[in-house]
Amino acid sequence: MDDIDRRILSLLLEDGRRTYDDVAARVSLSAPSAKRRIDRLRASGVLRGFTATIDHGALGYQTEALIELFYGPAVQLDEVAASLRVRPEVVEAWSVTGEPDAIARVRTRDNLDLERLIRDLQRDGQVIRTRSQIVLSRLVGPGEAR
């Protein structure tokens, strides 16, 4: 991986629909050379795919939050993953070190919908308690040049 590969990745993060010609022109390569590099980045697993970026607010999901989840001692990680996977509000979730057992990033229509989700998570008895933070604004995010 060299500086040209890093610049290619940065360009694709900005816009995953760039053509090989566009990428090539921006990094001073021919289109076939740019394609070979992109193919190599994909084959090596560095570039895992291309995705659309959605404005969830435009879809009516105005609240984004991080929910720390504290589970009972007998609850296994595969049970945690299964219970979160079925909830459409859960965008991502991670097992973590520290006090909480897991953290989920969620999107809901509003704060009342977030409260409903938290109650639903607590209702099954596996979640002992939660601690939440509502996201006010994004300071750094995916797709930004680094």
Side-chain angles (χ1 to χ4, degrees):
M1 175 106 121
D2 60 14
D3 284 340
I4 293 175
D5 289 336
R6 285 183 193 81
R7 288 177 30 216
I8 289 172
L9 289 173
S10 179
L11 289 167
L12 292 174
L13 279 172
E14 288 173 7
D15 182 359
R17 293 179 52 145
R18 288 184 190 274
T19 65
Y20 295 122
D21 287 332
D22 180 51
V23 171
R26 292 172 184 266
V27 297
S28 302
L29 291 175
S30 68
S33 293
K35 181 186 181 319
R36 279 193 299 276
R37 282 179 176 260
I38 292 169
D39 289 345
R40 189 177 69 239
L41 290 167
R42 290 184 78 184
S44 70
V46 171
L47 183 58
R48 295 188 344 205
F50 300 89
T51 185
T53 302
I54 298 170
D55 181 347
H56 292 276
L59 293 173
Y61 294 90
Q62 300 298 322
T63 299
E64 181 175 12
L66 299 174
I67 303 174
E68 295 179 344
L69 300 158
F70 300 81
Y71 286 88
V75 179
Q76 301 295 310
L77 278 178
D78 57 341
E79 296 174 88
V80 171
S83 72
L84 295 175
R85 196 173 286 122
V86 298
R87 301 185 184 281
E89 303 91 346
V90 176
V91 177
E92 294 180 276
W94 309 273
S95 65
V96 297
T97 61
E99 286 184 55
D101 298 298
I103 298 176
R105 182 167 68 100
V106 302
R107 291 188 188 278
T108 59
R109 287 184 290 284
D110 53 31
N111 289 352
L112 286 175
D113 196 29
L114 174 61
E115 186 175 20
R116 179 214 36 91
L117 173 63
I118 292 169
R119 284 187 185 146
D120 287 350
L121 289 167
Q122 294 171 338
R123 191 167 287 132
D124 69 9
Q126 292 182 323
V127 175
I128 295 171
R129 72 182 179 96
T130 62
R131 183 169 51 208
S132 305
Q133 298 88 32
I134 293 175
V135 174
L136 298 177
S137 65
R138 183 172 311 280
L139 300 176
V140 177
E144 295 180 22
R146 295 178 194 241

